[in-house]
Structure formats: structure tokens, C-alpha cells
């Protein structure tokens, strides 16, 4: 659906530009957007490579395993319907660890794999399970300790102090995660009550 919306916006802008005789503005915007996209991507690449390397070192040193052990009891509480030791748990822990470090791009494949594994446990294949909704809520809000992507973008555009957002990001992402989990629990409770009527 999103692709259709983007295609519609592009087609409408081209038609309006053609009707108003401003096709050169469309060409200039397309080339400027492509140039900006490449510039931002190259800037992000170095930061992402650095943090992916740090994640690899953390994995090899056992730090991720320690983080997974620390987070494991919390994950069991958040995902009571997922059996202990199920592959989904490993992917959920990896996804959350990457999100904690602000590596949204690295977290996405792990989140998708977690969803695949959760779908295998889902008795109703047409609707998302409670565990899938919880993962989506956590992943969308996501507590972020180090917002690496935003720091990289701020560095790219010449921010005087690109890391000054760390405190506010941590506070706002923590608040967003708490609210997301409370809403998730509220809907889960309502669903269970409706089921048992």
C-alpha cells in the first residue's frame, strides 16, 4: 500500500509540474535528492560500520550473551506465551540489543526473523499474536541508549555537539517504551477478558 501512495505522489507531482510548466524544478529536485541521499548514506556508513564492528566485538567477548542473560527474565515476562529457549527469544534479544545501541538498521533483520519465528507459534495465521504485537510495540518505541544513526546525521550536517541528544533520546525513548508496553498490556488484558466471556 505504501508503494502505491509513493507512486501516486510522484505521478501527481510530475503531472502538476508538466501542467504548470515547471518540469525543470522536478529534474533539479530529483538530482538534488539523489545527491543528498548518497551524501547522507556515506556519512551513515562509517558510523554504522563502527557500531557493527563494536557489536561483533561485544558478541565475541561475550558481552551480548551477558546482556541477553540480563534481559532474559524481562523478555520472559514480556513474552509469556513464547516457550523458553525458542529461537524467537534469541532473535528478540538480538533485536532489542541492537535497538538499545541505536542500530535500527541492524535490528530490522533480527526483528523480521523474530516475527517469522513468532508466526510459527501463532495459532491464527491471519491475525498477529499477542507476542507479535508486543514485539512490534517494543520495536517501534525502542529504548535507545546511544542514538548512533541520529548522531551520524547530526555529524554529517555539521552539528557543533552531535551527542547532546543522548540524554533526551534516552528519556523520551524510555517513556515511549513504557507507554507502548502499558497500551500493549491493556489490549492484551481486554482481549483475554473478551475471550473468556
Amino acid at each position: 500500500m505504501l508503494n502505491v501512495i509513493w507512486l501516486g505522489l510522484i505521478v501527481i507531482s510530475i503531472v502538476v509540474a508538466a501542467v504548470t510548466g515547471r518540469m525543470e524544478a522536478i529534474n533539479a529536485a530529483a538530482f538534488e535528492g539523489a545527491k543528498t541521499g548518497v551524501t547522507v548514506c556515506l556519512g551513515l556508513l562509517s558510523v554504522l560500520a563502527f557500531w557493527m564492528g563494536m557489536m561483533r566485538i561485544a558478541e565475541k567477548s561475550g558481552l551480548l550473551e551477558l546482556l541477553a542473560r540480563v534481559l532474559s527474565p524481562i523478555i520472559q515476562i514480556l513474552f509469556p506465551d513464547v516457550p523458553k529457549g525458542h529461537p524467537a527469544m534469541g532473535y528478540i534479544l538480538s533485536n532489542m540489543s541492537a535497538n538499545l545501541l541505536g542500530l535500527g538498521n541492524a535490528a530490522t533483520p533480527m526483528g523480521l526473523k523474530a516475527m517469522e519465528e513468532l508466526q510459527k507459534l501463532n495459532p491464527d495465521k491471519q491475525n498477529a499474536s499477542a507476542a507479535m504485537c508486543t514485539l512490534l510495540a517494543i520495536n517501534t518505541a525502542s529504548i535507545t541508549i546511544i542514538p548512533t544513526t541520529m548522531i551520524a546525521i547530526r555529524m554529517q550536517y555539521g552539528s557543533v555537539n552531535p551527542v547532546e541528544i543522548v540524554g533526551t533520546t534516552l528519556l523520551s525513548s524510555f517513556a515511549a517504551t513504557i507507554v507502548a508496553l502499558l497500551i500493549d498490556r491493556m489490549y492484551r488484558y481486554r482481549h483475554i477478558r473478551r475471550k473468556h466471556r
Side-chain angles (χ1 to χ4, degrees):
M1 184 64 183
L2 198 56
N3 290 339
V4 173
I5 293 169
W6 279 114
L7 179 65
L9 289 171
I10 291 168
V11 169
I12 289 168
S13 63
I14 290 171
V15 168
V16 169
V19 169
T20 58
R22 299 191 61 199
M23 283 303 286
E24 72 284 342
I26 290 283
N27 286 336
F31 286 116
E32 188 59 37
K35 187 174 114 183
T36 303
V38 169
T39 305
V40 170
C41 285
L42 288 175
L44 289 174
L45 190 62
S46 60
V47 174
L48 284 174
F50 171 75
W51 282 107
M52 292 299 281
M54 293 300 278
M55 281 282 280
R56 192 78 173 141
I57 291 168
E59 181 186 354
K60 291 287 185 190
S61 69
L63 186 62
L64 282 185
E65 192 177 320
L66 177 69
L67 184 62
R69 262 189 269 141
V70 169
L71 290 175
S72 189
I74 298 166
I75 297 301
Q76 283 300 143
I77 293 167
L78 292 174
F79 298 92
D81 23 355
V82 179
K84 196 170 186 173
H86 192 274
M89 285 301 203
Y91 289 119
I92 290 168
L93 285 165
S94 298
N95 174 269
M96 286 181 71
S97 300
N99 275 327
L100 281 170
L101 297 174
L103 298 169
N105 295 340
T108 301
M110 292 176 255
L112 291 173
K113 285 299 283 180
M115 281 294 188
E116 275 179 34
E117 292 298 328
L118 291 173
Q119 180 67 355
K120 290 175 187 174
L121 295 171
N122 188 3
D124 180 5
K125 303 298 183 196
Q126 298 303 311
N127 296 304
S129 67
M132 294 168 90
C133 292
T134 302
L135 177 61
L136 185 63
I138 290 170
N139 210 7
T140 304
S142 177
I143 295 175
T144 306
I145 297 170
I146 306 165
T148 51
T149 305
M150 285 310 300
I151 290 170
I153 291 171
R154 287 171 59 87
M155 286 171 63
Q156 185 72 28
Y157 285 99
S159 173
V160 176
N161 187 2
V163 295
E164 71 184 348
I165 61 168
V166 171
T168 51
T169 300
L170 179 59
L171 186 64
S172 62
S173 63
F174 179 76
T177 302
I178 295 298
V179 170
L181 287 173
L182 287 172
I183 292 170
D184 174 66
R185 291 296 134 167
M186 183 185 75
Y187 276 101
R188 187 184 282 228
Y189 177 70
R190 281 175 57 188
H191 178 71
I192 290 169
R193 264 185 46 199
R194 200 177 305 134
K195 217 172 168 181
H196 291 303
R197 275 185 186 164

